[in-house]
Amino acid sequence: MNLADFDPLSGKRCEILDHQGVIVAQELRPPGLTDELVLELYDRMVMLRVADQQALTLQRAGRMGTYAPTLGQEAANIGSAAVLQPGDWLVPSFRETGAMLLRGVPIKLIYMYWMGSEWGSHYPSEVKVLPICAPVSTQTLHGVGLAWAGKLKQDHTMTLIYFGDGATSKGDFHEAMNFAGVFTIPCVFFCQNNQYSISVPRRVQTAAASLAQKAVAYGFPGIMVDGNDLLAVYTVTAAAAARARAGEGPTLIEAQTYRLGPHTTADDPSRYRPLEELKAQEPYDPLRRLRIYLTQQGLITEDSEQDRVVKYEGMAKDAAREAEAAISLNPDDIFDYHYAQMPPYVAFQKEYLHRILAARGESAGG
Ligand SMILES: Cc1ncc(C[n+]2csc(CCOP(=O)(O)OP(=O)(O)O)c2C)c(N)n1
């Protein structure tokens, strides 16, 4: 596929598998994206949906602080991260549970993070994933820095940087895009446009007709893709990653998807999003279309589907138990991991907390 065929100013977006499970652009599909690979990635999408549901259950039972569900965004998560090669980096925002799982972050650690433990961000050293980033858009700059380091080392790796539609209104995003364009940085900016930034709909986020077209101003390609179409997401991200690895610079991908769940478990979307709007999105569910397609290819059956869900429910429950057994919340963790050497003002805050806890007869635990 040729990224240039999808000029973002034309309003054209890349689609390969439509929402009824029909292949509409076989010619765009790369040869490596076989039905076997589609099945494997579909399997990961099911795993993600089940792991997500388990997190909601934990939160509702008071066993997890909060959680940002990826419901509806499984194709955008999995289709994009699937193109990464061993040396590449993944830089998440906070709605990339699936992408992180695919790259080897254990689900237990992701649960620990949302349970409030800093140790949920300590990944195995071979896992090239940055920790979840709650401050909106700041990770876009970290990602460009990482990719720049790869360029200076001439290691031919690239960095996949995730963020939401709301993040495109932050200065960080524009600085990251400009720097990446000027210095031909080997990265892919992957925007999960799920149509909402908490309660703010996309239409009031920017006056631009698309988010992808913002790339034009920074001098590199931007492309719109159906973010609920696993095949299209994989195809455009693979093309953008190849461009980055070849030293041709960054690409901005706007994956148009829809957040079927709340912003986080602390949010009530019925206060700002009409129920009819949500209902109208159901046919576009990224798993549904793959189920139709893979059933027609004879690769899944109702029985195999049930087995898959049961297997992942067991996995998610085990991970939740292991996460709970592993956490011991220590207030010192709030201070200890921001800097290699703690600045005096942070040391002062830590000491201050210790004094407060001591006055209450409690201990910081470390
Ligand atoms: C710098 C900063 N400002 C505000 C917030 C509060 N906040 C958390 S998520 C969010 C919305 C992010 O929207 P978007 O970028 O579209 O991503 P989405 O949540 O839809 O995945 C906001 C405003 C924050 N975490 N960081």
Side-chain angles (χ1 to χ4, degrees):
M1 79 100 49
N2 190 353
L3 292 166
D5 291 342
F6 290 87
D7 175 0
L9 294 172
S10 72
K12 211 168 138 188
R13 75 173 188 171
C14 179
E15 293 169 355
I16 297 180
L17 182 72
D18 77 6
H19 73 282
Q20 289 167 319
V22 177
I23 298 273
V24 290
Q26 178 70 16
E27 70 284 2
L28 294 177
R29 190 172 167 180
L33 184 52
T34 59
D35 279 349
E36 287 65 36
L37 179 56
V38 172
L39 175 62
E40 206 179 292
L41 298 179
Y42 166 75
D43 180 83
R44 303 284 98 175
M45 287 166 65
V46 174
M47 179 173 99
L48 169 58
R49 190 160 281 192
V50 173
D52 228 44
Q53 184 53 48
Q54 177 63 28
L56 290 183
T57 308
L58 289 168
Q59 198 278 336
R60 300 283 181 245
R63 294 163 64 194
M64 184 176 274
T66 186
Y67 183 71
T70 52
L71 187 67
Q73 298 178 222
E74 292 88 350
N77 261 253
I78 302 292
S80 52
V83 312
L84 293 181
Q85 292 176 2
D88 297 336
W89 278 94
L90 187 152
V91 177
S93 163
F94 45 78
R95 209 179 297 282
E96 280 80 32
T97 299
M100 294 171 74
L101 287 175
L102 197 68
R103 291 296 285 166
V105 179
I107 184 66
K108 167 188 155 186
L109 293 186
I110 298 179
Y111 285 167
M112 282 170 67
Y113 170 86
W114 292 104
M115 285 172 179
S117 169
E118 185 59 33
W119 291 94
S121 297
H122 289 238
Y123 307 150
S125 57
E126 71 280 6
V127 171
K128 295 200 165 229
V129 178
L130 287 198
I132 290 172
C133 185
V136 171
S137 197
T138 53
Q139 78 282 3
T140 54
L141 289 162
H142 307 156
V144 168
L146 258 181
W148 190 22
K151 179 175 170 152
L152 295 175
K153 290 198 302 196
Q154 298 185 326
D155 64 7
H156 302 288
T157 61
M158 51 78 60
T159 300
L160 181 55
I161 307 167
Y162 291 90
F163 50 94
D165 40 301
T168 65
S169 296
K170 286 282 307 296
D172 314 58
F173 166 75
H174 297 279
E175 290 156 19
M177 292 274 286
N178 191 49
F179 196 97
V182 169
F183 292 98
T184 330
I185 300 296
C187 65
V188 174
F189 292 98
F190 193 92
C191 179
Q192 291 206 67
N193 172 7
N194 64 8
Q195 312 302 332
Y196 283 91
S197 177
I198 314 186
S199 57
V200 178
R202 151 65 187 87
R203 69 174 183 283
V204 294
Q205 194 65 245
T206 173
S210 77
L211 300 174
Q213 73 184 50
K214 288 172 188 277
V216 175
Y218 296 105
F220 54 85
I223 182 164
M224 271 186 284
V225 62
D226 178 348
N228 289 355
D229 174 357
L230 174 83
L231 280 73
V233 171
Y234 179 96
T235 301
V236 300
T237 317
R243 201 183 112 78
R245 286 193 199 99
E248 291 165 26
T251 302
L252 169 62
I253 296 172
E254 177 186 351
Q256 296 179 335
T257 178
Y258 191 86
R259 194 190 78 212
L260 292 172
H263 169 72
T264 65
T265 47
D267 175 43
D268 173 9
S270 70
R271 292 176 60 189
Y272 55 84
R273 189 169 73 174
L275 194 58
E276 307 79 67
E277 183 187 300
L278 184 63
K279 284 254 165 260
Q281 284 294 326
E282 280 170 10
Y284 298 93
D285 181 321
L287 275 108
R288 184 180 170 272
R289 70 184 69 184
L290 279 170
R291 242 179 251 128
I292 300 171
Y293 175 72
L294 292 170
T295 305
Q296 279 167 355
Q297 304 308 308
L299 291 170
I300 60 172
T301 61
E302 256 180 49
D303 284 350
S304 71
E305 280 307 274
Q306 262 187 358
D307 294 347
R308 203 186 302 281
V309 171
V310 169
K311 177 174 88 179
Y312 288 132
E313 278 174 351
M315 182 211 76
K317 282 189 181 132
D318 288 348
R321 274 192 292 271
E322 286 169 24
E324 283 179 313
I327 53 170
S328 59
L329 299 180
N330 178 353
D332 279 353
D333 289 346
I334 300 168
F335 307 100
D336 285 346
Y337 304 108
H338 291 278
Y339 298 92
Q341 272 189 324
M342 192 181 287
Y345 78 93
V346 178
F348 171 80
Q349 290 172 7
K350 182 177 171 182
E351 173 56 29
Y352 187 64
L353 178 69
H354 276 229
R355 271 189 272 141
I356 291 174
L357 293 176
R360 287 197 202 151
E362 295 171 33
S363 137

PDB file of all heavy atoms in Angstrom, residues 73 93-95 134-138 163-168 170 192 194 196-198 205 259 263, ligand 1:
ATOM      1  N   GLN A  73     -11.965  -0.456  20.967  1.00  0.00           N
ATOM      2  CA  GLN A  73     -10.711  -0.011  20.372  1.00  0.00           C
ATOM      3  C   GLN A  73      -9.712  -1.167  20.230  1.00  0.00           C
ATOM      4  O   GLN A  73      -8.499  -0.946  20.128  1.00  0.00           O
ATOM      5  CB  GLN A  73     -10.125   1.140  21.203  1.00  0.00           C
ATOM      6  CG  GLN A  73     -11.058   2.345  21.221  1.00  0.00           C
ATOM      7  CD  GLN A  73     -10.571   3.521  22.057  1.00  0.00           C
ATOM      8  OE1 GLN A  73     -11.356   4.128  22.765  1.00  0.00           O
ATOM      9  NE2 GLN A  73      -9.290   3.842  21.987  1.00  0.00           N
ATOM     10  N   SER A  93      -0.171   5.664  25.795  1.00  0.00           N
ATOM     11  CA  SER A  93      -0.864   6.649  26.608  1.00  0.00           C
ATOM     12  C   SER A  93      -1.423   5.832  27.783  1.00  0.00           C
ATOM     13  O   SER A  93      -0.647   5.178  28.483  1.00  0.00           O
ATOM     14  CB  SER A  93      -1.927   7.283  25.710  1.00  0.00           C
ATOM     15  OG  SER A  93      -2.891   7.940  26.450  1.00  0.00           O
ATOM     16  N   PHE A  94      -2.738   5.760  27.945  1.00  0.00           N
ATOM     17  CA  PHE A  94      -3.302   4.953  29.046  1.00  0.00           C
ATOM     18  C   PHE A  94      -4.438   4.059  28.555  1.00  0.00           C
ATOM     19  O   PHE A  94      -5.114   3.437  29.350  1.00  0.00           O
ATOM     20  CB  PHE A  94      -3.829   5.868  30.170  1.00  0.00           C
ATOM     21  CG  PHE A  94      -4.630   7.014  29.637  1.00  0.00           C
ATOM     22  CD1 PHE A  94      -5.933   6.840  29.225  1.00  0.00           C
ATOM     23  CD2 PHE A  94      -4.049   8.262  29.490  1.00  0.00           C
ATOM     24  CE1 PHE A  94      -6.659   7.883  28.683  1.00  0.00           C
ATOM     25  CE2 PHE A  94      -4.767   9.324  28.940  1.00  0.00           C
ATOM     26  CZ  PHE A  94      -6.078   9.130  28.535  1.00  0.00           C
ATOM     27  N   ARG A  95      -4.671   4.034  27.201  1.00  0.00           N
ATOM     28  CA  ARG A  95      -5.762   3.210  26.677  1.00  0.00           C
ATOM     29  C   ARG A  95      -5.190   2.215  25.657  1.00  0.00           C
ATOM     30  O   ARG A  95      -5.742   2.014  24.588  1.00  0.00           O
ATOM     31  CB  ARG A  95      -6.845   4.085  26.035  1.00  0.00           C
ATOM     32  CG  ARG A  95      -8.246   3.446  26.117  1.00  0.00           C
ATOM     33  CD  ARG A  95      -9.310   4.333  25.494  1.00  0.00           C
ATOM     34  NE  ARG A  95      -9.465   5.601  26.163  1.00  0.00           N
ATOM     35  CZ  ARG A  95     -10.115   5.779  27.316  1.00  0.00           C
ATOM     36  NH1 ARG A  95     -10.668   4.766  27.934  1.00  0.00           N
ATOM     37  NH2 ARG A  95     -10.206   6.976  27.867  1.00  0.00           N
ATOM     38  N   ALA A 134      -0.205   8.894  32.246  1.00  0.00           N
ATOM     39  CA  ALA A 134      -1.497   9.531  32.530  1.00  0.00           C
ATOM     40  C   ALA A 134      -1.543  11.002  32.102  1.00  0.00           C
ATOM     41  O   ALA A 134      -2.587  11.462  31.642  1.00  0.00           O
ATOM     42  CB  ALA A 134      -1.843   9.381  34.010  1.00  0.00           C
ATOM     43  N   PRO A 135      -0.446  11.776  32.220  1.00  0.00           N
ATOM     44  CA  PRO A 135      -0.537  13.180  31.772  1.00  0.00           C
ATOM     45  C   PRO A 135      -0.719  13.218  30.248  1.00  0.00           C
ATOM     46  O   PRO A 135       0.132  12.725  29.505  1.00  0.00           O
ATOM     47  CB  PRO A 135       0.805  13.787  32.182  1.00  0.00           C
ATOM     48  CG  PRO A 135       1.402  12.822  33.162  1.00  0.00           C
ATOM     49  CD  PRO A 135       0.881  11.472  32.784  1.00  0.00           C
ATOM     50  N   VAL A 136      -1.811  13.794  29.821  1.00  0.00           N
ATOM     51  CA  VAL A 136      -2.187  13.718  28.408  1.00  0.00           C
ATOM     52  C   VAL A 136      -1.099  14.295  27.503  1.00  0.00           C
ATOM     53  O   VAL A 136      -0.643  15.419  27.707  1.00  0.00           O
ATOM     54  CB  VAL A 136      -3.528  14.460  28.186  1.00  0.00           C
ATOM     55  CG1 VAL A 136      -3.843  14.597  26.696  1.00  0.00           C
ATOM     56  CG2 VAL A 136      -4.660  13.720  28.901  1.00  0.00           C
ATOM     57  N   SER A 137      -0.698  13.498  26.521  1.00  0.00           N
ATOM     58  CA  SER A 137       0.182  13.907  25.410  1.00  0.00           C
ATOM     59  C   SER A 137       1.669  14.051  25.748  1.00  0.00           C
ATOM     60  O   SER A 137       2.479  14.180  24.831  1.00  0.00           O
ATOM     61  CB  SER A 137      -0.312  15.218  24.768  1.00  0.00           C
ATOM     62  OG  SER A 137       0.276  15.392  23.522  1.00  0.00           O
ATOM     63  N   THR A 138       2.034  14.041  27.015  1.00  0.00           N
ATOM     64  CA  THR A 138       3.461  14.248  27.319  1.00  0.00           C
ATOM     65  C   THR A 138       4.315  13.127  26.725  1.00  0.00           C
ATOM     66  O   THR A 138       5.477  13.332  26.386  1.00  0.00           O
ATOM     67  CB  THR A 138       3.703  14.336  28.842  1.00  0.00           C
ATOM     68  OG1 THR A 138       3.130  13.187  29.462  1.00  0.00           O
ATOM     69  CG2 THR A 138       3.078  15.575  29.436  1.00  0.00           C
ATOM     70  N   PHE A 163      -1.668   8.097  21.302  1.00  0.00           N
ATOM     71  CA  PHE A 163      -2.341   9.192  22.020  1.00  0.00           C
ATOM     72  C   PHE A 163      -3.774   9.278  21.516  1.00  0.00           C
ATOM     73  O   PHE A 163      -4.125   8.650  20.515  1.00  0.00           O
ATOM     74  CB  PHE A 163      -1.604  10.538  21.809  1.00  0.00           C
ATOM     75  CG  PHE A 163      -1.315  10.826  20.368  1.00  0.00           C
ATOM     76  CD1 PHE A 163      -2.185  11.595  19.618  1.00  0.00           C
ATOM     77  CD2 PHE A 163      -0.194  10.293  19.752  1.00  0.00           C
ATOM     78  CE1 PHE A 163      -1.939  11.840  18.278  1.00  0.00           C
ATOM     79  CE2 PHE A 163       0.064  10.523  18.406  1.00  0.00           C
ATOM     80  CZ  PHE A 163      -0.814  11.294  17.672  1.00  0.00           C
ATOM     81  N   GLY A 164      -4.582  10.065  22.208  1.00  0.00           N
ATOM     82  CA  GLY A 164      -5.992  10.185  21.826  1.00  0.00           C
ATOM     83  C   GLY A 164      -6.272  11.462  21.051  1.00  0.00           C
ATOM     84  O   GLY A 164      -5.375  12.297  20.859  1.00  0.00           O
ATOM     85  N   ASP A 165      -7.500  11.629  20.615  1.00  0.00           N
ATOM     86  CA  ASP A 165      -7.877  12.837  19.870  1.00  0.00           C
ATOM     87  C   ASP A 165      -7.696  14.094  20.720  1.00  0.00           C
ATOM     88  O   ASP A 165      -7.242  15.129  20.239  1.00  0.00           O
ATOM     89  CB  ASP A 165      -9.317  12.742  19.335  1.00  0.00           C
ATOM     90  CG  ASP A 165     -10.278  12.109  20.330  1.00  0.00           C
ATOM     91  OD1 ASP A 165     -10.041  10.949  20.725  1.00  0.00           O
ATOM     92  OD2 ASP A 165     -11.259  12.762  20.726  1.00  0.00           O
ATOM     93  N   GLY A 166      -8.004  13.980  22.022  1.00  0.00           N
ATOM     94  CA  GLY A 166      -7.860  15.142  22.905  1.00  0.00           C
ATOM     95  C   GLY A 166      -6.409  15.585  23.011  1.00  0.00           C
ATOM     96  O   GLY A 166      -6.121  16.785  23.128  1.00  0.00           O
ATOM     97  N   ALA A 167      -5.492  14.633  22.942  1.00  0.00           N
ATOM     98  CA  ALA A 167      -4.064  14.941  23.076  1.00  0.00           C
ATOM     99  C   ALA A 167      -3.570  15.843  21.953  1.00  0.00           C
ATOM    100  O   ALA A 167      -2.569  16.544  22.111  1.00  0.00           O
ATOM    101  CB  ALA A 167      -3.251  13.644  23.090  1.00  0.00           C
ATOM    102  N   THR A 168      -4.284  15.869  20.810  1.00  0.00           N
ATOM    103  CA  THR A 168      -3.822  16.689  19.685  1.00  0.00           C
ATOM    104  C   THR A 168      -4.020  18.177  19.949  1.00  0.00           C
ATOM    105  O   THR A 168      -3.581  19.006  19.157  1.00  0.00           O
ATOM    106  CB  THR A 168      -4.531  16.304  18.364  1.00  0.00           C
ATOM    107  OG1 THR A 168      -5.931  16.601  18.491  1.00  0.00           O
ATOM    108  CG2 THR A 168      -4.356  14.831  18.033  1.00  0.00           C
ATOM    109  N   LYS A 170      -2.907  19.487  22.763  1.00  0.00           N
ATOM    110  CA  LYS A 170      -1.838  19.879  23.701  1.00  0.00           C
ATOM    111  C   LYS A 170      -0.607  20.372  22.928  1.00  0.00           C
ATOM    112  O   LYS A 170      -0.285  19.851  21.863  1.00  0.00           O
ATOM    113  CB  LYS A 170      -1.425  18.668  24.558  1.00  0.00           C
ATOM    114  CG  LYS A 170      -2.414  18.273  25.641  1.00  0.00           C
ATOM    115  CD  LYS A 170      -2.377  19.175  26.899  1.00  0.00           C
ATOM    116  CE  LYS A 170      -1.022  19.351  27.527  1.00  0.00           C
ATOM    117  NZ  LYS A 170      -0.412  18.135  28.060  1.00  0.00           N
ATOM    118  N   GLN A 192      -5.465   7.330  18.441  1.00  0.00           N
ATOM    119  CA  GLN A 192      -6.724   6.579  18.580  1.00  0.00           C
ATOM    120  C   GLN A 192      -7.819   7.626  18.738  1.00  0.00           C
ATOM    121  O   GLN A 192      -8.096   8.079  19.855  1.00  0.00           O
ATOM    122  CB  GLN A 192      -6.698   5.693  19.826  1.00  0.00           C
ATOM    123  CG  GLN A 192      -5.740   4.532  19.769  1.00  0.00           C
ATOM    124  CD  GLN A 192      -6.220   3.415  20.688  1.00  0.00           C
ATOM    125  OE1 GLN A 192      -7.250   2.793  20.442  1.00  0.00           O
ATOM    126  NE2 GLN A 192      -5.485   3.161  21.748  1.00  0.00           N
ATOM    127  N   ASN A 194     -11.062   8.197  19.344  1.00  0.00           N
ATOM    128  CA  ASN A 194     -12.259   7.456  19.794  1.00  0.00           C
ATOM    129  C   ASN A 194     -13.454   8.397  19.954  1.00  0.00           C
ATOM    130  O   ASN A 194     -14.423   8.070  20.609  1.00  0.00           O
ATOM    131  CB  ASN A 194     -11.963   6.680  21.084  1.00  0.00           C
ATOM    132  CG  ASN A 194     -11.632   7.593  22.256  1.00  0.00           C
ATOM    133  OD1 ASN A 194     -11.760   8.810  22.166  1.00  0.00           O
ATOM    134  ND2 ASN A 194     -11.225   7.006  23.363  1.00  0.00           N
ATOM    135  N   TYR A 196     -14.087  11.028  21.596  1.00  0.00           N
ATOM    136  CA  TYR A 196     -14.323  11.782  22.838  1.00  0.00           C
ATOM    137  C   TYR A 196     -13.032  11.952  23.625  1.00  0.00           C
ATOM    138  O   TYR A 196     -12.193  11.055  23.668  1.00  0.00           O
ATOM    139  CB  TYR A 196     -15.343  11.070  23.746  1.00  0.00           C
ATOM    140  CG  TYR A 196     -16.754  11.254  23.262  1.00  0.00           C
ATOM    141  CD1 TYR A 196     -17.324  10.339  22.379  1.00  0.00           C
ATOM    142  CD2 TYR A 196     -17.504  12.365  23.642  1.00  0.00           C
ATOM    143  CE1 TYR A 196     -18.616  10.524  21.901  1.00  0.00           C
ATOM    144  CE2 TYR A 196     -18.794  12.557  23.170  1.00  0.00           C
ATOM    145  CZ  TYR A 196     -19.346  11.639  22.307  1.00  0.00           C
ATOM    146  OH  TYR A 196     -20.617  11.838  21.839  1.00  0.00           O
ATOM    147  N   SER A 197     -12.928  13.112  24.259  1.00  0.00           N
ATOM    148  CA  SER A 197     -11.870  13.366  25.225  1.00  0.00           C
ATOM    149  C   SER A 197     -12.626  13.604  26.543  1.00  0.00           C
ATOM    150  O   SER A 197     -13.114  14.707  26.782  1.00  0.00           O
ATOM    151  CB  SER A 197     -11.086  14.599  24.787  1.00  0.00           C
ATOM    152  OG  SER A 197     -10.111  14.905  25.729  1.00  0.00           O
ATOM    153  N   ILE A 198     -12.765  12.567  27.313  1.00  0.00           N
ATOM    154  CA  ILE A 198     -13.756  12.503  28.397  1.00  0.00           C
ATOM    155  C   ILE A 198     -15.107  12.931  27.798  1.00  0.00           C
ATOM    156  O   ILE A 198     -15.613  12.241  26.921  1.00  0.00           O
ATOM    157  CB  ILE A 198     -13.361  13.287  29.668  1.00  0.00           C
ATOM    158  CG1 ILE A 198     -11.887  13.006  30.059  1.00  0.00           C
ATOM    159  CG2 ILE A 198     -14.280  12.906  30.829  1.00  0.00           C
ATOM    160  CD1 ILE A 198     -11.436  13.616  31.379  1.00  0.00           C
ATOM    161  N   GLN A 205     -13.043  19.600  19.370  1.00  0.00           N
ATOM    162  CA  GLN A 205     -11.620  19.481  19.744  1.00  0.00           C
ATOM    163  C   GLN A 205     -10.763  20.328  18.806  1.00  0.00           C
ATOM    164  O   GLN A 205      -9.743  20.868  19.207  1.00  0.00           O
ATOM    165  CB  GLN A 205     -11.195  18.006  19.668  1.00  0.00           C
ATOM    166  CG  GLN A 205      -9.880  17.685  20.334  1.00  0.00           C
ATOM    167  CD  GLN A 205      -9.929  17.897  21.826  1.00  0.00           C
ATOM    168  OE1 GLN A 205      -9.225  18.766  22.332  1.00  0.00           O
ATOM    169  NE2 GLN A 205     -10.738  17.152  22.538  1.00  0.00           N
ATOM    170  N   ARG A 259     -15.169   4.915  21.330  1.00  0.00           N
ATOM    171  CA  ARG A 259     -15.067   4.394  22.701  1.00  0.00           C
ATOM    172  C   ARG A 259     -16.447   3.896  23.123  1.00  0.00           C
ATOM    173  O   ARG A 259     -17.343   4.701  23.388  1.00  0.00           O
ATOM    174  CB  ARG A 259     -14.592   5.525  23.619  1.00  0.00           C
ATOM    175  CG  ARG A 259     -14.135   5.072  24.982  1.00  0.00           C
ATOM    176  CD  ARG A 259     -13.931   6.272  25.895  1.00  0.00           C
ATOM    177  NE  ARG A 259     -15.200   6.765  26.379  1.00  0.00           N
ATOM    178  CZ  ARG A 259     -15.482   8.027  26.658  1.00  0.00           C
ATOM    179  NH1 ARG A 259     -14.601   8.967  26.494  1.00  0.00           N
ATOM    180  NH2 ARG A 259     -16.683   8.380  27.118  1.00  0.00           N
ATOM    181  N   HIS A 263     -15.054   6.775  29.784  1.00  0.00           N
ATOM    182  CA  HIS A 263     -13.664   7.249  29.714  1.00  0.00           C
ATOM    183  C   HIS A 263     -12.795   6.438  30.680  1.00  0.00           C
ATOM    184  O   HIS A 263     -11.779   5.874  30.309  1.00  0.00           O
ATOM    185  CB  HIS A 263     -13.618   8.736  30.067  1.00  0.00           C
ATOM    186  CG  HIS A 263     -12.234   9.243  30.282  1.00  0.00           C
ATOM    187  ND1 HIS A 263     -11.342   9.411  29.245  1.00  0.00           N
ATOM    188  CD2 HIS A 263     -11.568   9.570  31.418  1.00  0.00           C
ATOM    189  CE1 HIS A 263     -10.184   9.838  29.731  1.00  0.00           C
ATOM    190  NE2 HIS A 263     -10.294   9.945  31.045  1.00  0.00           N
TER     191      HIS A 263
HETATM  192  C1  LIG B   1      -2.078  17.238  31.170  1.00  0.00           C
HETATM  193  C2  LIG B   1      -3.390  16.629  31.547  1.00  0.00           C
HETATM  194  N1  LIG B   1      -4.511  17.367  31.507  1.00  0.00           N
HETATM  195  C3  LIG B   1      -5.710  16.824  31.851  1.00  0.00           C
HETATM  196  C4  LIG B   1      -5.772  15.515  32.237  1.00  0.00           C
HETATM  197  C5  LIG B   1      -7.119  14.905  32.595  1.00  0.00           C
HETATM  198  N2  LIG B   1      -7.478  13.972  31.515  1.00  0.00           N
HETATM  199  C6  LIG B   1      -7.249  12.659  31.628  1.00  0.00           C
HETATM  200  S1  LIG B   1      -7.666  11.835  30.257  1.00  0.00           S
HETATM  201  C7  LIG B   1      -8.211  13.220  29.500  1.00  0.00           C
HETATM  202  C8  LIG B   1      -8.806  13.174  28.129  1.00  0.00           C
HETATM  203  C9  LIG B   1      -7.909  12.549  27.118  1.00  0.00           C
HETATM  204  O1  LIG B   1      -8.608  12.433  25.908  1.00  0.00           O
HETATM  205  P1  LIG B   1      -7.966  11.785  24.648  1.00  0.00           P
HETATM  206  O2  LIG B   1      -6.603  12.332  24.421  1.00  0.00           O
HETATM  207  O3  LIG B   1      -8.938  11.920  23.535  1.00  0.00           O
HETATM  208  O4  LIG B   1      -7.785  10.249  25.032  1.00  0.00           O
HETATM  209  P2  LIG B   1      -8.899   9.192  25.471  1.00  0.00           P
HETATM  210  O5  LIG B   1      -9.087   9.333  26.947  1.00  0.00           O
HETATM  211  O6  LIG B   1     -10.138   9.473  24.707  1.00  0.00           O
HETATM  212  O7  LIG B   1      -8.314   7.864  25.138  1.00  0.00           O
HETATM  213  C10 LIG B   1      -8.041  14.339  30.323  1.00  0.00           C
HETATM  214  C11 LIG B   1      -8.407  15.706  29.943  1.00  0.00           C
HETATM  215  C12 LIG B   1      -4.574  14.775  32.292  1.00  0.00           C
HETATM  216  N3  LIG B   1      -4.545  13.498  32.633  1.00  0.00           N
HETATM  217  N4  LIG B   1      -3.397  15.332  31.917  1.00  0.00           N
END
